[in-house]
């Protein structure tokens, strides 16, 4: 039996419920249901639903109470006629389990939530309900006259009958003693009422303490929305017991209910859920759920909601969000429906076949989901079968009511509602819904069905035929190099056409010339000798000017050439232009002016030209020039375009062309080059001409209007030739023409074409829809903001709903991953413009004024044709309002500002900064199965090598044991060598981020060509390319991607995956975040987005792709795979998961990946390993210093450098170089800056000080990205020169910044290849440079500029810096214990003694301890301690064996014996000896000793234990070794004498207690040894006692120390070492050597010092040999340990 936590209940079923239940069952949950209507006569139709439910494995329950009893979640969907399911004695809530969640499927109008909230909020704040009883409705009356919204009333207990319905929804509260109607003004937000009404006995929530009388009860009077007029039975439920508390919940179905909970019941958590199916993309036909509620309720409900849906949208904290989103979607659907109606009517009336119009618009900017899905039903005449117009009109009325209550204007929806309402009022006799178009057909006197029945052809097929038989074109003239025109013209250049361009804006001409085009000074200049002239100007006036104005193009066009007109102009203009071009004659320079005529040609007298020409130009829009009798036979192609700036540059426009066959064939190849979709309409530019008019004079024919007259001497004022209009067509008339025009002696014959331009009309229809969709998107998103919705999430929901006008996607592959580039089939407005509104970015791609013009043409047409186009006219007014407000030059999305200004809302929705822990915690659990093993198995089978082109060295952040090539261009041999090794992966360092775009493109192409050559040279070698880019979205995208594709060939998909775990880069909900401490900051809001060369705005990756491609790849055409789907579905559900990606590649699919570092390691199955340490690299004992070079300018780096100086300031030396001097000053100043920095770095490194070379922190940029890159290059090259000149070998090199690290490795250090060893810190690669480099064994740390928190650099430097002590005293003794030798501790008193010990240690390659006695410290003080510490740090041995280097260099290859780097270092520590007082010891703790001796031997045993124990705790806290003495030595040391009778041997029993109590590390034993000189009889040591003490020390892990080693014979020392002595104190013999040397005659103090040092050194060296520590035994032990670690 399933546990209650795995049970989900359903109350009420529908088709969606079955799908949801099926998903739950597949997720391993148990489902049970109660069908509300299953036992009612009118509900038999729902019985099959329960049967299907049972087939799914569900269980049937007898009552709602049974459903809720064991369920962790209960989903309510109640039919319109049964509100008792949570209401009656057997209600769900009565039996619900504690902590369960109730999911209420919401369809109720929003007004109920708002009114009930206001009423109950006011009541509940002043009183509490100690008891209540709730009565169900006495009746439900779905009468024809019922209001559009049901109403809710709260009545006193005695009233139990339903009151008459009020036409206005309201709530009334009647107390027992009086009745008062309360006005209820709705508020825009809906809150959960449950928390406010919790019973006082509950521990949480608001306690209400003023009870109302028990007699008070609540009564519900509900009216349901029913499409049928049949009345259900009257329902009555008994009163609930008075023990019910006042907890109120909402049930949202077709009714609204109040719910009650028992007092002793746990408070139910509830959320509302609007369930629907997606309409586009990957969610097509999949379940979407929009849910809202408190955070606690959402947390409970989320697992069930996620399991039931393909996509879950959460609007946390507000109940009713689903209904609000539904209202916004209905708003858009209503407007789009009416706009579609107007578009089809306008197109049909213009002579366009309706089905052809549908085919073209469906793939153009004017398309929408409504148009694509409703238009076919409309055109097929069966619209009423699929759509209940009455209900839809009622829903829109509800939206308008809410908007009214919020004082928010919805002009577009209002007029759409009126249109639909009018259509709804026209019903047929059989009461079925009449198609909305029949109303307009009646008004227009035409039938769309007739037009649909006309012969249909396929415009695309016609275009293919035309292009196949088109004439070749060599030279193309192009006038109008604006936003779209420039892209079109440059694409023609790329298509190998010779293009001559002209534009009035001179900088554009310069850009075009730089792109390879030819330019002219006038339209005429670019029209000479061309085959085709393209006119792409803004409007009719400009088209007229460039064709017929001063230096116009027509005069220069060669005979037989074609003109392609792609501007948005009126139909009349094109009609006239075609005729004028056909009748254009060759220019005759000797003639002054003429009139174009079909039959006659006469010169106009010079004296009358000022009278004739203005009149004719004004009335007939004709211009005049001087011509010969020969026709030019110019051809016109009417070819409006759609697609936007980006697609213009790509040659993927949608073009709708018409003209004569000859004209089309002459321009077909050019049109094909510019378009992805080319449509050709039959009939020429005049195809679709209207029927002949009835009210025309007799000379009017079907094709033209000809007016002939002989004008002789008649005053011009009496000539009246003008245009008139009818309700159907334009036509020209003449009043008393023959009476008023008298002969002038000039013959006039004028032919005026009366044709309507079909493709002009097609463009007009498209612009009508596009303009309305932009305006409606603004209205919808602003309304959503007024409703309090998250506008960005609202946008995402609408994109998958019926209100969308977005891209349809033609998938190019079945394999998607994270973000894919797909092929857009058509562009629509909502998905493209709303992101601009949300970002507040109104960079003009298509300005507001464009639609003022385009919709103005539509408005003019509807006026002249007498066609009522209400919705487009209102949209036009909105654009005019925006232009009037000063936003005309902004992007057309700025029309939303009209709504923002009027309603005081803000649509812009900048992405918030999120709490990292909360966000990551809210995500689904990671997929349980680790795919790495599968990936590794696939990798073994695969024959392909993954080649990673890394735009800077930081891309190796997640890999290890992978090779990097840094010099690929020298020859192809290195690539051949790599392929021959058959590696699973290797990197090629391109460093393209440091280059200009043009150079980066060429570099990428060169690499890809070399890869191809190299792979073909190796048998069976194949490869896949990955472009590794910055995880903060900087770099050459899409330029590098395009360059790779141009060589490698087209790919099935591009994969964009900037996720980088180690760097804190996450992509969640398509938004890319950068972790900053505990926050997730949208990438577009970080300092990286402000990069001078690669800056961007968008954080959403879809929008980032559109931004970086300049609109070429619109955001809506980018598919994404959510992290939820990746984690919930795993590889089987998401085939583009990395392991499946390999399988896809093995099947022949080709992907080009632009990714961050994490992708590569996952792709090849690399398992992470711990950060590399100096010990791993075998340099932990080297004494040299590190070199840190910082070139990155990002603010993060500046913070990290500041923190580095703070934490390591006393050990770090800084050199700051001036960026200004390096990049902006003279060459002499630049050289001086470089020279000084290199010299100082050498000095600091020789002094063993970590050295920081950093560029000055002020950011200096150029006036353009290319200038900024040039500055970066100068700085980077200076850093290269500085490092090249440094001669001292560093311990390690840390390069901060991608460009810096690349240039230093390749140019300064001469590395041609490297091996990625691992990471120095998460996300920080560590390289081992090749043997050809300047410092082959030196670790090279590549530190990205954008990785780590403020302490990250300091952490790495501290980890890799040479430790203050290479060895501690404890380590020295531990090595001695391991090696079976002892270490000498030599008392020192001055500089000569210190030098003697260190010199002996270096010569003998032996560890040593510098030991200071309290008496010596009393004389020399802290300087003596400092001298010892400095000497210990800088001590070095004889040349070390270079074979121990990790790169296995051969001796003598690149090293010489006089270099610092060739020396190892001997371990020397500093010890404080015989500290016998607390004060002495406490002072010693602060002076930097490595170890100290607590000498309490003069104290009683217990006092000795106490003092030693206390000091041991303090010393261990400082990692200092503690030595103590038990027993007491006789003899004299430093004027301190212990008599023989005071001496005492060490007791084994006391030693055991002493060691247990104190915790010391070393024990100085008394076994007969003495301080000073032994007696003549020699030493008498108790070796048997030593043996017992050795056994005890070995047991306790304590080292044995023997003081008084001076004078001990060799054999005795050897025995002591064998019995465990690891430290011998030596003083007397060394002092004696010093004193004997001083007593000699010396001429100078220098000689005294030298002689004394040599004398002491000889004694010390002899002791080292005697103790067995000479000869580098410590190195051998350390080497063994290192090898074991490696």
């Amino acid at each position: 039996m399933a546990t209650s936590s795995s049970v989900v209940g359903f109350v009420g079923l529908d088709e969606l419920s079955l799908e949801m239940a099926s998903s739950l069952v597949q997720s391993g949950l148990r489902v049970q249901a109660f069908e509300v209507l299953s036992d009612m006569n009118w509900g038999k139709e729902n019985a099959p639903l329960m049967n299907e439910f049972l087939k799914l494995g569900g269980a049937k329950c007898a009552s709602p109470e049974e459903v809720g009893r064991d369920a962790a979640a209960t989903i309510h969907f109640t039919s319109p006629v049964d509100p008792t399911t949570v209401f009656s004695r057997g209600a769900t809530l009565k039996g619900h389990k504690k902590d369960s969640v109730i999911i209420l499927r919401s369809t109720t109008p929003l007004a109920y939530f708002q009114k009930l909230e206001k009423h109950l909020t006011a009541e509940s704040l002043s009183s509490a309900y100690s008891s209540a009883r709730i009565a169900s409705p006495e009746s439900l009356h779905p009468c024809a006259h019922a209001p559009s919204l049901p109403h809710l009333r709260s009545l006193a207990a005695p009233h139990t009958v339903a009151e008459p319905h009020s036409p206005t929804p309201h709530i009334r509260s009647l107390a027992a003693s009086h009745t008062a109607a309360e006005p209820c003004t709705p508020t825009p937000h809906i809150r959960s009422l449950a928390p406010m009404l919790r019973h006082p006995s509950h521990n949480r929530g608001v306690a209400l303490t003023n009870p109302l009388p028990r007699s008070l009860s609540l009564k519900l009077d509900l009216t349901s929305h029913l499409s049928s007029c049949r009345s259900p039975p009257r329902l009555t439920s008994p009163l609930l017991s008075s023990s019910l508390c006042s907890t109120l919940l909402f049930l949202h179905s077709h009714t609204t209910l109040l719910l009650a909970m028992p007092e002793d019941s746990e408070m139910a958590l509830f959320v509302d859920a609007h369930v629907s199916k997606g309409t586009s993309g990957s969610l097509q036909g999949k379940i979407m759920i929009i849910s809202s509620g408190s955070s606690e309720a959402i947390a409970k409900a989320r697992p069930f909601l996620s399991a039931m849906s393909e996509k879950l949208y959460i609007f946390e904290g507000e109940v009713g969000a689903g209904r609000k989103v539904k209202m916004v979607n209905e708003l858009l659907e209503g407007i789009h429906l009416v706009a579609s109606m107007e578009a089809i009517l306008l197109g049909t009336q213009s002579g366009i076949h309706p089905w052809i119009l549908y085919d073209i618009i469906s793939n153009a900017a004017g398309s929408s989901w409504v148009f694509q899905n409703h238009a076919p039903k409309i055109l097929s005449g069966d619209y009423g079968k699929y759509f209940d117009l009455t209900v839809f009109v009622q829903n829109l009325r509800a939206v308008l009511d809410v908007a009214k209550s919020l004082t928010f204007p919805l002009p577009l929806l209002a007029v759409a509602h009126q249109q639909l309402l009018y259509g709804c009022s026209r019903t047929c006799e059989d009461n079925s819904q009449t198609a909305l178009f029949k109303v307009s057909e009646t008004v227009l006197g035409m039938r769309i069905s007739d037009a649909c029945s006309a012969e249909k052809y396929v415009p695309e097929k016609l275009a293919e035929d035309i292009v196949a038989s088109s004439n070749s074109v060599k030279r193309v003239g192009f006038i109008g190099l604006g936003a779209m025109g420039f892209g079109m013209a440059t694409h023609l250049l790329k298509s190998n056409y010779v293009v001559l361009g002209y534009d009035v804006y001179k900088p554009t001409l310069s850009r075009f010339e730089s792109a390879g085009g030819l330019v002219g000074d006038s339209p005429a200049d670019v029209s000479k000798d061309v085959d085709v002239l393209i006119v792409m100007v803004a409007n009719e006036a400009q088209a007229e000017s460039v064709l017929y104005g001063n230096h116009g193009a027509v005069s220069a066009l060669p005979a037989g050439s074609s003109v392609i007109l792609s501007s948005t102009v009126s139909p009349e203009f094109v009609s006239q232009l075609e005729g004028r071009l056909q009748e254009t004659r060759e220019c005759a320079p000797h003639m002054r002016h003429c009139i174009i005529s079909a039959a006659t040609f006469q010169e106009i007298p010079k004296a009358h030209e000022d009278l004739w020409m203005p009149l004719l130009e004004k009335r007939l829009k004709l211009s005049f020039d001087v011509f010969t009798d020969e026709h030019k036979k110019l051809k016109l192609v009417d070819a409006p375009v759609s697609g936007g700036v980006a697609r213009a540059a790509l040659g993927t426009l949608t073009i709708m062309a018409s003209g004569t066959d000859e004209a089309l064939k002459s321009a077909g190849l050019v049109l094909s080059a510019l378009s992805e979709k080319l449509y050709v309409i039959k009939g020429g530019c005049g195809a679709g001409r209207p029927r002949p008019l009835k009210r025309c004079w007799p000379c009017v024919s079907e094709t033209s209007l000809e007016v002939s007259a002989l004008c002789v001497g008649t005053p011009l004022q009496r000539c009246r030739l003008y245009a008139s209009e009818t309700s159907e067509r334009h036509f020209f008339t003449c009043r008393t023409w023959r009476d008023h025009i008298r002969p002038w002696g000039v013959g006039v014959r004028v032919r005026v074409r009366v044709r309507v331009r079909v493709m002009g009309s097609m463009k007009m229809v498209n612009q009508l829809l596009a303009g309305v969709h932009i305006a409606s998107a603004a209205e919808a998103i602003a309304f959503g903001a007024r409703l309090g919705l998250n506008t960005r999430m609202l946008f995402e929901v609408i994109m998958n709903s019926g209100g969308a006008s977005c891209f349809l996607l033609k998938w190019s592959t079945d394999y998607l991953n994270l973000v894919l580039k797909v092929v857009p089939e058509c562009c629509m407005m909502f998905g493209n413009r709303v992101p601009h509104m949300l970002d507040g970015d109104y960079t003009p791609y298509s300005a507001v004024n464009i639609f003022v013009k385009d919709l103005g043409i539509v408005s003019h047409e509807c006026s002249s044709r007498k066609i009522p186009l209400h919705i487009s006219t209102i949209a036009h007014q909105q654009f005019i309002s925006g232009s009037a407000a000063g936003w005309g030059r902004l992007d057309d999305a700025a029309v939303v500002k009209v709504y923002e200004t009027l309603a005081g809302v803000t649509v812009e929705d900048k992405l918030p900064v999120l709490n990292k822990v909360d966000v990551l915690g809210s995500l689904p659990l990671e997929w349980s199965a680790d795919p790495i093993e599968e990936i590794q198995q696939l990798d073994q089978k695969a024959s392909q090598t993954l080649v990673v082109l890394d735009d800077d060295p930081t891309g190796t952040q997640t890999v290890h044991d992978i090779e990097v090539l840094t010099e690929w261009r020298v020859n192809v041999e290195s690539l051949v060598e790599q392929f021959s090794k058959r590696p699973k992966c290797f990197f090629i360092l391109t460093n393209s981020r440091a280059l200009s775009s043009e150079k980066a493109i060429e570099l990428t192409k060169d690499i890809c060509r070399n890869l191809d050559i190299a792979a073909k040279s190796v048998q069976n070698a194949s490869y896949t390319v990955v472009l590794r880019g910055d995880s903060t979205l900087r770099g050459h995208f899409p330029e590098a991607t395009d360059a790779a594709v141009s060589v490698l060939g087209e790919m099935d998909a591009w994969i964009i995956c900037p996720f980088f775990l180690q760097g804190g880069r996450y992509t969640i909900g398509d938004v890319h975040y950068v972790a900053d401490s505990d926050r997730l900051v949208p990438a577009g809001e970080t300092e990286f987005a402000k990069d001078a060369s690669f800056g961007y705005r968008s954080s959403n990756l879809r929008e980032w792709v559109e931004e970086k491609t300049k609109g070429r790849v619109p955001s809506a055409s980018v598919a994404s795979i959510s992290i939820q789907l990746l984690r919930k579905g795993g590889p089987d559900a998401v085939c583009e998961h990395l392991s499946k990606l390999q399988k896809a590649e093995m099947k022949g699919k080709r992907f080009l990946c632009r990714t961050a570092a994490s992708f590569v390691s996952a792709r090849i199955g690399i398992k992470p390993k711990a950060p590399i340490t100096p010990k791993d690299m075998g340099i932990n004992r080297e004494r040299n210093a590190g070199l840190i070079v910082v070139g990155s300018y990002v603010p993060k780096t500046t913070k990290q450098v500041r923190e580095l100086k703070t934490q390591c300031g006393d050990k770090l030396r800084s050199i700051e170089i001036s960026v200004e001097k390096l990049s902006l000053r003279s060459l002499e100043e630049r050289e001086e800056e470089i020279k000084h920095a290199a010299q100082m770095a050498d000095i600091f490194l020789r002094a063993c000080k970590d050295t920081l070379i950093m560029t000055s922190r002020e950011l200096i940029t150029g006036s353009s990205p290319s200038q900024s890159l040039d500055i970066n290059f100068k700085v980077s090259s200076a850093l290269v020169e500085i490092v090249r000149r440094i001669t001292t070998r560093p311990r390690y090199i840390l390069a901060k910044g991608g460009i810096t690290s690349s240039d230093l490795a390749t140019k300064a250090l001469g590395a041609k290849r490297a091996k990625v060893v691992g990471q120095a810190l998460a996300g920080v690669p560590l390289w081992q440079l090749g043997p050809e480099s300047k410092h082959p064994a030196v670790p090279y740390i590549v530190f990205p500029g954008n990785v780590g928190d403020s302490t990250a650099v300091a952490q790495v430097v501290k980890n890799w810096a040479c430790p203050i002590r290479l060895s501690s005293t404890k380590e020295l003794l531990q090595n001695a214990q391991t090696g079976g030798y002892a270490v000498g501790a030599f008392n020192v008193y001055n500089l000569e003694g210190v030098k003697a010990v260190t010199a002996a240690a270096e010569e003998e390659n032996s560890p040593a301890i510098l030991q200071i006695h309290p008496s010596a410290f009393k004389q020399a003080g802290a300087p003596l301690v400092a001298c010892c510490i400095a000497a210990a740090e800088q001590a070095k041995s004889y040349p070390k064996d270079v074979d121990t280097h990790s790169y296995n260099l051969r001796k003598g290859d690149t090293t010489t014996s006089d270099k610092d780097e060739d020396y190892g270092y001997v371990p020397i520590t500093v010890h404080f000896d015989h500290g016998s007082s607390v004060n002495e010891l406490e002072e010693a703790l602060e002076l930097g000793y490595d170890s100290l001796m607590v000498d309490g031997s003069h104290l009683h045993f217990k006092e000795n234990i106490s003092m030693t124990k206390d000091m041991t705790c303090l010393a261990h806290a400082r990692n200092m070794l503690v030595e103590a003495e038990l027993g007491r030595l006789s003899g004299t040391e430093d004027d301190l004498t212990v008599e023989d009778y005071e001496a005492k041997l060490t007791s084994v029993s006391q030693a055991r207690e002493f060691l247990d109590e104190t915790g010391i590390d070393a024990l100085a034993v008394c076994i007969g040894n003495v301080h000073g000189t032994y007696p003549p009889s020699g030493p008498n040591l108790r070796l048997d006692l030593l043996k017992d003490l050795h056994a005890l020390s070995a047991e306790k892990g304590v080292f044995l120390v023997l003081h008084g080693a001076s004078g001990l014979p060799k054999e005795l020392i050897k025995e002591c070492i064998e019995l465990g002595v690891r430290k011998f104190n030596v003083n007397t013999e060394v002092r004696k050597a010093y004193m004997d040397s001083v007593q000699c005659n010396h001429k100078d103090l220098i000689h005294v010092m030298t002689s004394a040092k040599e004398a002491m050194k000889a004694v010390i060296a002899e002791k080292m040999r005697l103790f067995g520590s000479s000869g580098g035994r410590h190195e051998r032990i350390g080497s063994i340990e290192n090898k074991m670690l490696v």
Side-chain angles (χ1 to χ4, degrees), residues 478 480-495 497 499 511-512 534 536 566 639-655 670-677 763 807 824 827 832 845-846 1109-1114:
F478 206 107
L481 300 174
M484 288 186 66
F486 187 87
M488 295 167 66
T490 52
H491 182 75
L492 288 175
L493 289 173
K494 296 175 183 177
S495 301
Y497 287 97
V499 185
R511 284 179 59 213
F512 184 66
I534 301 175
M536 188 66 189
S566 293
V641 301
S642 176
V645 177
R647 296 179 69 187
L650 289 173
T652 57
L653 291 168
T654 295
I655 298 181
V670 175
L671 294 172
S672 177
L674 292 171
S675 63
E676 181 181 50
K677 287 187 175 295
K763 173 76 173 182
F807 282 93
C827 174
N832 185 268
Y845 292 98
S846 173
T1109 60
K1110 296 181 173 61
R1112 179 183 109 200
V1113 181

Side-chain angles (χ1 to χ4, degrees), residues 1143-1162:
K1143 294 178 180 178
E1145 289 173 340
M1146 294 171 69
K1147 293 178 181 178
K1149 293 291 182 179
R1150 303 184 72 212
F1151 302 95
L1152 183 61
C1153 305
R1154 186 194 186 275
T1155 76
S1158 291
F1159 177 89
V1160 178
S1161 58

Side-chain angles (χ1 to χ4, degrees), residues 582-654:
Q582 289 176 352
E583 297 176 358
T584 299
R585 299 173 184 269
E586 295 288 349
C587 181
H590 63 281
M591 303 191 70
R592 178 62 178 166
H593 289 287
C594 69
I595 299 176
I596 301 174
S597 171
T600 62
F601 172 78
Q602 297 289 342
E603 183 180 0
I604 300 176
K606 175 70 175 176
H608 302 292
E609 70 174 12
D610 59 336
L611 299 176
W612 269 100
M613 290 183 61
L615 176 70
L616 293 175
E617 287 181 356
K618 179 178 180 181
R619 296 298 183 186
L620 298 181
K621 298 182 180 178
L622 297 175
S623 60
F624 302 93
D625 210 332
V626 183
F627 299 92
T628 68
D629 287 327
E630 296 183 10
H631 289 276
K632 283 191 173 184
K633 298 182 180 179
L634 301 181
K635 300 177 286 291
L636 176 65
V637 175
D638 181 18
V641 301
S642 176
V645 177
R647 296 179 69 187
L650 289 173
T652 57
L653 291 168
T654 295

Side-chain angles (χ1 to χ4, degrees), residues 40 103 317 429 491 771 794 1064 1119 1617:
M40 301 182 181
I103 301 171
E429 294 180 358
H491 182 75
L794 172 64
I1617 292 174

Side-chain angles (χ1 to χ4, degrees), residues 1386 1388 1392-1402 1408-1410 1468 1660 1664:
F1386 305 95
V1388 294
E1392 293 93 313
V1394 173
K1395 291 290 291 181
V1397 174
T1398 57
E1402 290 174 349
I1409 298 174
L1410 293 168
I1468 298 177
I1660 294 168
M1664 289 176 173

